């Protein structure tokens, strides 16, 4: 090749890739069984953070103690395992974990703070009554995603989604959780910061400094780094480093202050209606419906990211709709078993797909088996779940960032020299970060939402929707992309719609059947459109 040819080659833009290159195992390919088991355990370890954080926040306000918190964690873990298997078998069939959602915390606390439960002087009785109300709200709210998903209504909606409008949606699913990253890490810097540094060194630097026949440090960076820092935190605890520290510091830094080991039982089988008959209150159902809508929107963004990191083609609209339907069924199971929270796609596990470069469906199904196993054997699961939360915060800093980068990667389909593209991207990103910040700050300073009507349930519905960065950014980008210069000759290509046109319908691209067909020949009876 001549010098002139080399110069020309260097100046050629990077080509568009419909399937992400560099992934070692795609959705349908599998590592060895031994490696798959270790990777599955790593995914289980990553999803534990949210599984522990959500009950830790809501259970004390419901009137529960360490025993009830451990029971709720075990139940949430069990239902997450079931939902993950259902989603990977019959839903989108993408390598995703279906776990607890932060967006259901507001509805759960809305129930917990209801005045009618304060007549119960016994904290356990108040916990039971509150849990039953949350169960009823979740079971009714689950109807929304099930109807929109299984009836194909969501399929019609997402067919209007272009790469341009998907960029803010997918990116802010990860970026919108920034408050769960470094602020959580900083609760114990001497534990969280070493975890972050070691994780980055193992996953990013060492593979380029030393070459190995098989990827070890980058593929198992989470397990290795957590093991090292957890042992270091245990050493600090045993040495009495936090003996005279404030209580909050001890709770964040010590490895023996979670209360999960003492509160959990050796063997416990979560079962439906274990807290008693669910109760229904209209206002609580409506607030939970808003959270279910947000979970649908955010899960749609996470599904798109998982399809990229699984090196699959873009997910067809009908498959997205099918996945949302099964997500709704998962929320129904949350209510039936009593997890205290609804479900969504676990963002951190999507980021882990990118970190390990393993998008195998089998690995996530093995991870679900670990969830079921440790939810039953409570004491063993509690030992692993007692990892200090600043370590989890350090993991989030990396994994949420990788989730966000999946959205930025969709810009390859768009015309970045178009001022229309620049406005839609910039404005939707800004509003997606600014509006939720405004709502959150307003609640902190005034004690109530900016929307302050006599209907408290309506105020909470608005709060749930507009404190979700991904929902705000996605709705803004979706609306602008459909209305701004819609009939202009270059709009379709500038938005990248021509790249995703073949994936609007399942049969237009033969690769869709390879990645998204139902197992056991079920596609014959439940065809995707």
């Amino acid at each position: 090749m001549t010098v002139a040819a080399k110069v020309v080659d260097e100046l050629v833009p990077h080509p568009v890739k419909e399937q992400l290159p560099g992934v070692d195992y795609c959705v349908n390919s599998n590592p060895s069984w031994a490696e798959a088991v270790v990777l599955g355990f790593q995914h289980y370890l990553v999803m534990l953070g949210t599984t522990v954080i959500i009950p830790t926040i809501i259970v004390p306000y419901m009137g529960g103690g360490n025993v009830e918190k451990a029971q709720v964690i075990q139940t949430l873990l069990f239902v997450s395992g079931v939902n993950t298997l259902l989603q990977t078998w019959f839903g989108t069939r993408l390598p995703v974990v279906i776990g607890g959602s932060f967006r259901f915390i507001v509805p759960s606390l809305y129930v917990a703070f209801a005045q009618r439960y304060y007549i119960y002087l016994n904290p356990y009785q108040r916990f039971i009554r509150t849990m039953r109300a949350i169960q009823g709200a979740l079971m009714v709210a689950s109807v929304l995603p099930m109807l929109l998903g299984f009836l194909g209504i969501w399929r019609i909606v997402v067919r209007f989604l272009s790469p341009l409008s998907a960029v803010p949606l997918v990116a802010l699913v990860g970026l919108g959780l920034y408050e769960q990253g470094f602020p959580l890490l900083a609760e114990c810097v001497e534990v969280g910061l070493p975890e972050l540094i070691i994780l980055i060194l193992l996953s990013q630097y060492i593979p380029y400094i030393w070459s190995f026949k098989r990827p070890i440090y980058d593929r198992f960076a989470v397990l290795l780094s957590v093991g090292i820092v957890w042992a270091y935190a245990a050493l600090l605890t045993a040495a009495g480093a936090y003996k005279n520290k404030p209580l909050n510091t001890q709770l964040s830094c010590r490895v023996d202050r979670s209360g999960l080991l003492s509160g959990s039982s050796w063997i416990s089988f979560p079962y439906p209606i274990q807290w008693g008959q669910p109760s229904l209150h209209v206002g609580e159902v409506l607030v939970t419906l808003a959270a279910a809508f947000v979970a649908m929107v955010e899960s749609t963004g996470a599904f798109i990211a998982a399809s990229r990191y699984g090196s699959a083609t873009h997910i067809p609209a009908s498959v997205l709709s099918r996945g949302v339907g099964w997500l709704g069924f998962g929320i129904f199971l949350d209510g039936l078993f009593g997890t205290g929270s609804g479900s969504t796609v676990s963002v951190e596990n999507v980021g882990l797909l990118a970190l390990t470069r393993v998008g195998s469906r089998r690995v996530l199904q093995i991870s679900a088996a670990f969830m079921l196993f440790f939810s039953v054997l409570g004491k063993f699961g509690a030992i692993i779940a007692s990892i200090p939360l600043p370590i989890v915060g350090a993991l989030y800093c990396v994994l949420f960032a990788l989730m966000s980068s999946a959205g930025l990667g969709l810009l390859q389909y768009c015309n970045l020299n178009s001022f229309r593209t620049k406005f839609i991207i910039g404005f939707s990103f800004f509003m997606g970060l600014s509006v939720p910040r405004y709502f959150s700050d307003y609640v902190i300073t005034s004690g109530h939402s900016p929307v302050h009507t006599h209907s408290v349930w309506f105020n909470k519905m608005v709060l749930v929707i507009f404190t979700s960065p991904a929902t705000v950014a996605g709705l803004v980008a979706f609306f602008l992309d459909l209305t701004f210069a819609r009939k202009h000759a270059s709009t379709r290509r500038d938005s990248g719609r021509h790249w995703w046109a073949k994936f609007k319908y399942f049969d237009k691209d033969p690769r869709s059947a390879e990645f998204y067909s139902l197992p056991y020949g079920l596609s014959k009876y439940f065809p995707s459109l």
Side-chain angles (χ1 to χ4, degrees):
M1 183 181 292
T2 64
V3 175
K6 287 183 178 179
V7 172
V8 172
D9 186 57
E10 287 180 352
L11 296 177
V12 173
H14 293 290
V16 172
K17 299 289 186 181
E18 289 185 335
Q19 293 176 251
L20 185 66
V23 176
D24 296 327
Y25 297 96
C26 70
V27 174
N28 288 335
S29 59
N30 302 306
S32 65
W33 277 104
E35 189 173 359
V37 169
V38 178
L39 287 167
F41 182 78
Q42 190 168 234
H43 272 279
Y44 161 73
L45 187 68
V46 164
M47 66 83 61
L48 270 180
T50 303
T51 306
V52 172
I53 290 172
I54 294 175
T56 300
I57 293 173
I58 65 174
V59 168
Y61 291 109
M62 296 166 62
N66 287 335
V67 173
E68 289 74 34
K69 182 173 74 171
Q71 285 181 286
V72 173
I73 290 174
Q74 285 179 257
T75 304
L76 181 55
L77 196 58
F78 179 84
V79 176
S80 296
V82 173
N83 286 337
T84 299
L85 288 175
L86 291 174
Q87 188 65 237
T88 54
W89 271 333
F90 308 117
T92 59
R93 307 218 69 215
L94 287 168
V96 293
V97 167
I98 305 298
S101 170
F102 289 111
R103 304 308 172 195
F104 285 87
I105 291 178
V106 170
S108 296
L109 292 182
Y110 174 63
V111 176
F113 291 148
Q115 290 295 322
R116 64 179 177 276
Y117 299 118
Y118 283 91
I119 64 172
Y120 298 100
L121 300 179
N122 185 332
Y124 180 73
Q125 284 297 319
R126 185 159 67 88
F127 169 80
I128 290 294
R129 297 291 178 176
T130 307
M131 178 60 81
R132 291 175 182 176
I134 295 173
Q135 285 184 263
L138 286 171
M139 293 172 74
V140 176
S142 68
V143 174
L144 176 66
M146 281 197 284
L147 287 178
L148 294 181
F150 291 137
L151 294 181
I153 300 172
W154 198 246
R155 175 186 67 210
I156 298 171
V157 174
V158 295
R159 278 177 180 162
F160 291 100
L161 195 68
S162 71
L164 177 59
S165 55
V167 169
L169 169 63
V170 178
L172 265 72
V173 169
L175 286 178
L177 294 169
Y178 64 89
E179 291 180 345
Q180 303 296 331
F182 199 83
L184 186 60
L185 177 157
E187 291 181 2
C188 187
V189 175
E190 59 267 35
V191 171
L193 197 57
E195 168 62 30
L196 181 61
I197 293 172
I198 294 172
L199 177 61
I200 293 175
L201 286 175
L202 289 176
S203 63
Q204 306 302 321
Y205 283 87
I206 288 181
Y208 289 95
I209 297 174
W210 292 292
S211 58
F212 301 91
K213 292 183 178 179
R214 296 176 60 84
I216 299 175
Y217 292 105
D218 49 348
R219 188 164 292 175
F220 304 107
V222 169
L223 277 178
L224 294 171
S225 61
V226 169
I228 293 169
V229 179
W230 193 10
Y232 164 67
L235 185 63
L236 290 177
T237 301
Y242 306 108
K243 187 174 295 183
N244 299 317
K245 296 291 184 179
L247 179 61
N248 287 340
T249 302
Q250 293 192 37
L251 291 173
S252 298
C253 299
R254 294 179 66 102
V255 299
D256 58 355
R257 284 291 186 269
S258 67
L260 296 180
L261 193 59
S262 60
S264 59
S265 56
W266 282 103
I267 298 178
S268 175
F269 291 91
Y271 56 91
I273 318 295
Q274 60 184 339
W275 310 108
Q277 184 177 353
S279 59
L280 279 178
H281 300 273
V282 176
E284 294 164 1
V285 169
L286 293 173
V287 177
T288 310
L289 272 170
F293 172 74
V294 170
M296 288 167 50
V297 174
E298 293 185 347
S299 294
T300 297
F303 283 139
I304 294 172
S307 68
R308 290 294 294 171
Y309 288 142
S311 195
T313 55
H314 177 62
I315 180 170
S318 58
V319 177
L320 262 175
S321 189
R322 190 174 72 200
V324 164
W326 280 104
L327 177 68
F329 185 74
I331 295 174
F332 177 81
L333 292 181
D334 288 323
L336 187 66
F337 281 81
T339 63
S341 168
S343 289
T344 190
V345 175
S346 174
V347 177
E348 54 269 35
N349 289 89
V350 175
L352 187 58
L353 298 177
L355 191 71
T356 60
R357 301 186 185 184
V358 176
S360 169
R361 184 188 299 122
R362 176 184 291 173
V363 169
L364 273 297
Q365 291 170 339
I366 292 173
S367 175
F370 277 114
M371 298 175 210
L372 296 174
F373 177 78
F374 284 111
S375 68
V376 173
L377 299 179
K379 290 288 186 185
F380 295 101
I383 293 173
I384 301 171
S386 63
I387 296 172
L389 291 181
I391 294 178
V392 176
L395 296 180
Y396 287 170
C397 288
V398 173
L399 301 178
F400 289 165
L402 288 170
M403 169 69 209
S404 303
S405 66
L408 300 178
L410 299 177
L411 287 170
Q412 65 177 317
Y413 300 113
C414 307
N415 179 10
L416 296 180
N417 292 316
S418 164
F419 279 98
R420 177 182 181 274
T421 300
K422 293 178 186 296
F423 172 73
I424 293 177
I425 291 293
F427 184 71
S428 56
F429 262 85
F430 185 85
M431 296 303 288
L433 294 172
S434 183
V435 171
R437 183 75 268 168
Y438 166 72
F439 271 77
S440 299
D441 289 346
Y442 199 99
V443 171
I444 293 172
T445 55
S446 66
H448 57 78
S449 169
V451 179
H452 190 50
T453 68
H454 294 294
S455 299
V456 180
W457 59 266
F458 179 76
N459 304 337
K460 295 297 182 182
M461 284 183 69
V462 175
L463 182 66
V464 168
I465 294 172
F466 287 98
T467 51
S468 167
T471 303
V472 173
L475 290 175
V476 170
F478 189 74
F479 174 79
L480 291 176
D481 190 36
L482 289 178
T483 58
F484 177 29
R486 181 181 178 184
K487 296 183 179 180
H488 195 277
S490 63
T491 294
R492 182 173 180 271
R493 292 183 60 83
D494 289 349
S495 297
R497 290 188 181 276
H498 57 298
W499 285 104
W500 282 5
K502 69 180 83 172
F503 302 112
K504 280 188 175 182
Y505 300 93
F506 189 84
D507 294 331
K508 278 197 170 184
D509 192 291
R511 293 171 295 178
S512 296
E514 176 187 351
F515 295 114
Y516 302 111
S517 288
L518 291 173
Y520 317 121
L522 291 174
S523 293
K524 297 179 182 178
Y525 306 101
F526 304 98
S528 298
L529 302 176

